[in-house]
Amino acid sequence: MRGALSGLTTRGRCLLAAGFAAGLCALVLNERDLLRVAAFVVALPLLAAWLATRARVGLHASRFLHPSRVPVGSATEVRVELRSTGRLPTGGLLLEDNVPYALGSRPRFVVERLPRSTATALRYPLKPVMRGIQQVGPLMARITDPFGLVEYDRELAGRSRLVVVPRITGLSGLPSGSGMGAGDDGSIRLRSGQGEDDAIVREYRHGDDLRKVHWRSTARRDQLMVRVEERPWRGGTTVLLDHRLTAHRGSGPSASLEWAVSMTASICLHLHRFGHQVKLVAEDGRVLAGGSGDGGHSDAVVLDSLAALQPSHRKELAAGLDPGAGQEVIAVLGACTPAVVDGLVRYRPRGMRSLAVLLDVGEWAGSTEDPSPDVTEAQRLLHIAGWGVSIAKPSSPMNQVWQELCHSAGNRGPVVRTEVG
């Protein structure tokens, strides 16, 4: 009884108090008519509380999302099936589904009458503006009576999972001068003769080890040529995403991190369409998707991993290791200081194809944010290390940035020549 009375509204409590007061006055004044009125006034909120309690017990709801996995900016429909299993018809329901701010405003429904044993379908759209693993719900029902004397809150349905994946932009073309993960590095190996190994050489670049100078080719071409050490080919392309919190600026859907995640997803799916093996790694070398045994060719694996990705609090970028682990690399980088660039390229072999999309995060920065490192200095250092680089700004179309990267791959790619004999 105490639980039923806890749902009384201010109106119901006042009416109940007035009924008891009228009953007391009727007893003192010996007024039977007033006692009848007092009994009716007391019984009315008690009856309303009992009916609302019975309706609350017999309510059930189910929630369905179609689809349950959508890109940023696309719409999904939520369908709620409400059913009453009580003996009496239910009415006066106020339904509210809890929805995160990134999905929109909370939908509210008023159900005047809910038939017994008949499902009532309620629908509303959601259009997410931020990627992530979002939780829709719980669905709360506020049960009232027609006179507004009682009010109960009850959770009818729990939470439903909605996966919001990054927005994908269609890209065209591939970087030239390289197999890009197809198992061919663009060079041709020829047999030099019986008992003699092939020599793969290229032009000398600043910083190359002089101990690797191939003197026979140098004398023949009248310019310094160095040997390219043969490395075991593992195939595939490594896509590196820099998601350090300190490397990005802005907030919400327009943040530089969201642009970088969308660009990374577009690159991975674009390479998948050409049948390339793609491994997606974080700035610390942690494999996010495409590792052994998790379906490296699955677009869903890449998109789901990027949907759940959170900013990293690391300061360094791929310190102490080759981010590509012997594979060709396409890196999507945020703000990079000279120290960060040095840590990225120090362990990266010069003979492997290395490309980078460098975000000019200063263009994303707000007036209250810290100044960003000079993007031109990071570009210059990457060029010196033999990387192909394209600069991205908030207004830059992703396909245009990709085309510039493909062009830089043709210009900055390693010059590999094969000498016979």
Side-chain angles (χ1 to χ4, degrees):
M1 187 64 179
R2 182 180 298 178
L5 294 179
S6 64
L8 289 174
T9 63
T10 302
R11 180 184 300 177
R13 294 177 186 275
C14 291
L15 191 62
L16 189 62
F20 281 117
L24 181 60
C25 292
L27 293 176
V28 172
L29 300 176
N30 195 21
E31 291 286 342
R32 292 189 176 182
D33 292 338
L34 182 59
L35 183 60
R36 294 188 185 97
V37 173
F40 174 77
V41 172
V42 171
L44 185 60
L46 296 179
L47 180 62
W50 178 77
L51 292 176
T53 303
R54 293 292 302 271
R56 183 178 62 169
V57 173
L59 284 178
H60 303 278
S62 302
R63 184 192 301 104
F64 306 93
L65 277 67
H66 304 281
S68 60
R69 188 171 172 275
V70 294
V72 173
S74 299
T76 183
E77 184 183 68
V78 181
R79 180 168 57 90
V80 176
E81 289 188 357
L82 192 63
R83 185 183 298 272
S84 175
T85 58
R87 295 183 178 181
L88 298 175
T90 303
L93 294 180
L94 175 62
L95 301 178
E96 182 180 66
D97 212 359
N98 290 320
V99 173
Y101 76 94
L103 300 181
S105 59
R106 293 182 177 181
R108 291 181 175 89
F109 302 94
V110 177
V111 180
E112 297 293 343
R113 181 178 177 84
L114 186 64
R116 182 170 60 90
S117 302
T118 302
T120 299
L122 306 174
R123 293 179 172 85
Y124 65 90
L126 291 178
K127 192 172 183 180
V129 297
M130 280 285 291
R131 63 174 179 86
I133 309 298
Q134 306 290 352
Q135 299 293 333
V136 181
L139 175 66
M140 302 299 297
R142 179 167 295 178
I143 304 170
T144 62
D145 68 293
F147 302 103
L149 301 179
V150 292
E151 185 177 271
Y152 294 102
D153 290 333
R154 183 192 171 189
E155 180 179 324
L156 297 184
R159 291 177 171 84
S160 301
R161 186 170 180 261
L162 176 64
V163 181
V164 185
V165 301
R167 182 184 287 110
I168 303 301
T169 300
L171 306 179
S172 58
L174 289 174
S176 59
S178 175
M180 285 305 300
D184 179 14
D185 64 356
S187 62
I188 304 174
R189 294 187 56 84
L190 302 176
R191 297 298 301 175
S192 58
Q194 185 175 4
E196 188 173 0
D197 294 334
D198 297 343
I200 301 180
V201 297
R202 60 168 172 80
E203 295 175 356
Y204 173 83
R205 298 197 193 106
H206 178 72
D208 284 341
D209 190 351
L210 292 177
R211 292 175 296 180
K212 297 180 180 180
V213 173
H214 193 265
W215 296 110
R216 180 180 300 179
S217 303
T218 299
R220 179 174 300 176
R221 296 183 177 274
D222 198 21
Q223 61 177 334
L224 280 178
M225 306 293 291
V226 295
R227 295 188 303 272
V228 179
E229 294 181 355
E230 182 179 2
R231 300 178 182 87
W233 176 250
R234 301 180 184 179
T237 300
T238 296
V239 178
L240 169 67
L241 172 60
D242 177 13
H243 63 105
R244 295 171 299 142
L245 185 62
T246 57
H248 291 279
R249 302 292 186 271
S251 60
S254 59
S256 62
L257 176 60
E258 298 305 316
W259 196 98
V261 170
S262 182
M263 183 66 182
T264 301
S266 302
I267 292 174
C268 291
L269 269 61
H270 179 66
L271 296 179
H272 279 167
R273 285 196 295 270
F274 284 87
H276 297 171
Q277 297 179 3
V278 178
K279 182 173 67 174
L280 176 62
V281 300
E283 78 286 338
D284 58 353
R286 177 170 52 94
V287 177
L288 302 176
S292 58
D294 67 348
H297 285 284
S298 174
D299 293 346
V301 174
V302 173
L303 293 177
D304 287 350
S305 63
L306 290 176
L309 189 68
Q310 297 296 323
S312 169
H313 295 280
R314 287 177 55 89
K315 301 295 183 181
E316 301 83 11
L317 181 66
L321 52 88
D322 173 18
Q327 295 182 339
E328 297 181 346
V329 165
I330 300 177
V332 181
L333 306 175
C336 292
T337 62
V340 170
V341 174
D342 179 70
L344 177 65
V345 304
R346 176 178 298 179
Y347 301 95
R348 180 66 182 160
R350 284 181 171 269
M352 299 298 297
R353 176 55 52 88
S354 303
L355 306 174
V357 176
L358 192 58
L359 274 66
D360 187 1
V361 297
E363 298 291 332
W364 277 274
S367 58
T368 60
E369 292 184 284
D370 296 333
S372 304
D374 186 8
V375 68
T376 57
E377 178 64 15
Q379 181 185 25
R380 185 184 68 84
L381 294 175
L382 288 171
H383 272 304
I384 292 175
W387 287 56
V389 182
S390 63
I391 302 296
K393 298 179 181 293
S395 59
S396 303
M398 290 188 183
N399 191 46
Q400 177 182 338
V401 174
W402 175 252
Q403 293 295 328
E404 293 175 357
L405 188 66
C406 294
H407 181 70
S408 69
N411 292 337
R412 302 293 300 178
V415 180
V416 180
R417 291 185 172 88
T418 303
E419 291 295 322
V420 182

